[in-house]
Amino acid sequence: MATQSREDGITLSREEMETLNAAFEQGTLAGAASRLQEILESLETVHLDMVIMGETGSGKSSFVNALRGLRDEDAGAARTGVVETTQEPTPYQHPQYPNVTIWDLPGISTFGIYPEAYLDQLGFSSCNIFIIIASQHFTAQHAVLAHHIQSMGKSLYFVRSKVDVDLDSSLQRRPSSYSEAGVLQEIQEDCEEGLRAQEIEFSRVFLLSAFELGKYDFHLLKETLEKELRHHKWETFLLALPGISLQILEKKKASMLQHMWLVSTVASGIHTVPIPGLSISCDVDLLVRTLQGYCKTFGLDDNSLEKLAAQMDQPVGQLRALVKSPLAKAVSKTLVVQLLTQATSMVPKLSKQVVSTAPVLASMASGALSFATTYKMIRSFVDKVTEDAQRVLIKVFEVEAEK
């Protein structure tokens, strides 16, 4: 569902308008908000389970940590090493999104001669995403797993890890003729040839480095998941991704723009209280939780900034100085009321589309104003936190370039 916003008004997608229209048949804003609250709650409870498999030493656990925005030495990180450190299937919840679980499995050599039976025994048939990682070649054991996972109709992706190590090695061996693009193409073709020899269906092999997740093919993996995952599963995965590129930040913002009209309607119709000095009523507690969640999604909370500063070996104060909007813990009821007051003078009129499709909303002046004010406030807040996250990321790029 896509929410469209214009300077002269708020417009909604056809699907959103149909939902609003059906809800308003109950005749009240509270009735509509109650229906939409069910949708909002369903979005917040979507679970995503991802399984990471590969040989011992292939970088499975480092990849798990990278997806969770952690370094190998951080508290709560998956154990890593050149020998097998994962003895049992281990679930790791995302630090900020506990409904996202990433499973780190032991090296596939420990699965025995029937790896497919091993997966069935552990009950992984309910998981959403399977990723097989290899740091060199894809073998017959990889193939057995792949065929079994694909026979279950599950999403399966192949990752060739540690390409940064291969590039460094190639540069040292052949400095005069070194070509990064040439080495990457050679690795890609070798992996694809191996999979074809095992008669495995695949779209492509994604070349990655867990220590430089923003480089190489991670953006292609992200785009593939976006196309293949069901809408709500993709939104869950996207919000949990570390903000390692400007493109990911823009995708996060786009997701929030789809989410904020739901929040605005629910906040304007359920558990509302009058806002002193304003002609609106809304659920301030819901708005506080929403804005705090947006900050955390963009890494604009103390814990995320401290981890990033440690990774950069830079004072955390330098990153905090780049953030103009409040950090997550600073979002309070008082702040939300202040932001609503500021938004009152900038509230757009409801578009003719909304008025004609849901006339009950237009007839309820107080509810309409509450909805429009809340929407404008959230939209302005998202714009600002996006700019802050972009400034922080650009600073990270500058520091990395200097190293």
Side-chain angles (χ1 to χ4, degrees):
M1 297 185 296
T3 303
Q4 304 165 353
S5 177
R6 301 174 183 172
E7 292 184 359
D8 60 345
I10 298 170
T11 63
L12 305 176
S13 71
R14 183 184 65 182
E15 293 84 1
E16 292 166 343
M17 289 311 310
E18 289 175 352
T19 301
L20 260 182
N21 190 39
F24 271 112
E25 290 179 357
Q26 299 179 47
T28 65
L29 179 61
S34 178
R35 170 68 185 91
L36 295 180
Q37 185 179 37
E38 297 175 8
I39 299 175
L40 186 61
E41 290 175 350
S42 70
L43 294 176
E44 295 173 349
T45 56
V46 172
H47 288 272
L48 179 70
D49 287 274
M50 178 182 300
V51 179
I52 311 298
M53 301 172 290
E55 295 175 334
T56 299
S58 61
K60 298 182 284 83
S61 300
S62 291
F63 185 58
V64 169
N65 293 334
L67 288 174
R68 299 167 65 225
L70 300 177
R71 297 181 301 174
D72 289 350
E73 295 181 340
D74 288 341
R79 290 184 59 203
T80 60
V82 294
V83 298
E84 185 57 59
T85 54
T86 306
Q87 302 300 327
E88 298 289 339
T90 307
Y92 291 95
Q93 287 185 323
H94 192 281
Q96 294 180 340
Y97 297 91
N99 54 334
V100 175
T101 302
I102 306 175
W103 288 84
D104 188 9
L105 268 58
I108 58 175
S109 60
T110 65
F111 289 12
I113 60 174
Y114 300 110
E116 68 276 21
Y118 182 83
L119 284 181
D120 290 341
Q121 180 182 354
L122 294 173
F124 282 114
S125 59
S126 61
C127 292
N128 312 106
I129 302 173
F130 291 80
I131 294 179
I132 294 180
I133 293 183
S135 58
Q136 293 183 351
H137 307 287
F138 289 98
T139 67
Q141 281 189 305
H142 293 123
V144 172
L145 281 174
H147 285 303
H148 183 62
I149 293 167
Q150 290 177 336
S151 71
M152 295 189 296
K154 298 295 182 176
S155 297
L156 173 63
Y157 307 95
F158 296 93
V159 166
R160 171 58 159 81
S161 62
K162 300 186 178 181
V163 295
D164 53 326
V165 175
D166 293 292
L167 290 171
D168 289 341
S169 177
S170 180
L171 177 60
Q172 292 180 17
R173 293 196 310 269
R174 298 186 294 271
S176 61
S177 61
Y178 172 76
S179 166
E180 177 176 305
V183 174
L184 293 176
Q185 182 177 356
E186 184 179 345
I187 295 172
Q188 183 87 43
E189 291 175 352
D190 176 70
C191 291
E192 293 180 355
E193 182 180 342
L195 291 175
R196 280 192 291 268
Q198 300 287 348
E199 299 183 347
I200 299 173
E201 296 180 5
F202 65 96
S203 56
R204 73 172 288 130
V205 175
F206 299 95
L207 310 185
L208 301 180
S209 164
F211 302 109
E212 298 177 287
L213 201 59
K215 298 180 66 175
Y216 313 117
D217 287 346
F218 186 74
H219 69 288
L220 296 176
L221 175 60
K222 176 186 65 64
E223 291 172 1
T224 300
L225 288 170
E226 181 178 6
K227 293 176 183 177
E228 296 185 11
L229 285 179
R230 289 189 305 156
H231 176 73
H232 296 329
K233 295 289 187 183
W234 160 247
E235 297 294 332
T236 301
F237 178 74
L238 173 64
L239 295 181
L241 282 179
I244 56 175
S245 72
L246 295 175
Q247 184 187 46
I248 287 180
L249 294 181
E250 286 299 327
K251 290 282 187 179
K252 286 176 180 277
K253 179 180 178 180
S255 175
M256 291 175 187
L257 296 182
Q258 296 178 23
H259 177 263
M260 67 177 64
W261 82 272
L262 281 171
V263 175
S264 301
T265 307
V266 173
S268 304
I270 300 179
H271 306 309
T272 62
V273 295
I275 305 301
L278 303 178
S279 301
I280 65 172
S281 299
C282 60
D283 183 349
V284 176
D285 289 332
L286 173 59
L287 296 177
V288 169
R289 295 195 302 272
T290 298
L291 299 191
Q292 288 176 340
Y294 288 168
C295 287
K296 292 179 180 178
T297 293
F298 277 115
L300 300 180
D301 59 280
D302 286 327
N303 187 44
S304 296
L305 289 176
E306 287 170 2
K307 287 182 178 178
L308 182 58
Q311 292 172 5
M312 296 168 55
D313 193 24
Q314 297 288 314
V316 68
Q318 288 187 4
L319 297 185
R320 287 200 179 103
L322 298 172
V323 180
K324 308 304 180 184
S325 53
L327 296 180
K329 73 174 184 179
V331 177
S332 62
K333 291 183 178 180
T334 300
L335 176 66
V336 167
V337 172
Q338 292 175 352
L339 295 176
L340 288 170
T341 302
Q342 295 171 10
T344 301
S345 61
M346 302 180 291
V347 171
K349 296 179 181 179
L350 292 174
S351 69
K352 292 181 180 179
Q353 174 208 23
V354 176
V355 173
S356 62
T357 308
V360 179
L361 178 61
S363 67
M364 297 182 293
S366 174
L369 181 61
S370 297
F371 172 84
T373 302
T374 301
Y375 185 95
K376 181 62 180 179
M377 183 274 288
I378 299 176
R379 175 61 189 264
S380 177
F381 186 84
V382 168
D383 287 342
K384 291 176 180 177
V385 295
T386 303
E387 293 172 359
D388 286 337
Q390 290 171 341
R391 277 194 293 270
V392 171
L393 185 59
I394 290 171
K395 179 63 176 178
V396 171
F397 286 155
E398 292 175 350
V399 171
E400 289 296 323
E402 294 171 357
K403 290 182 179 179

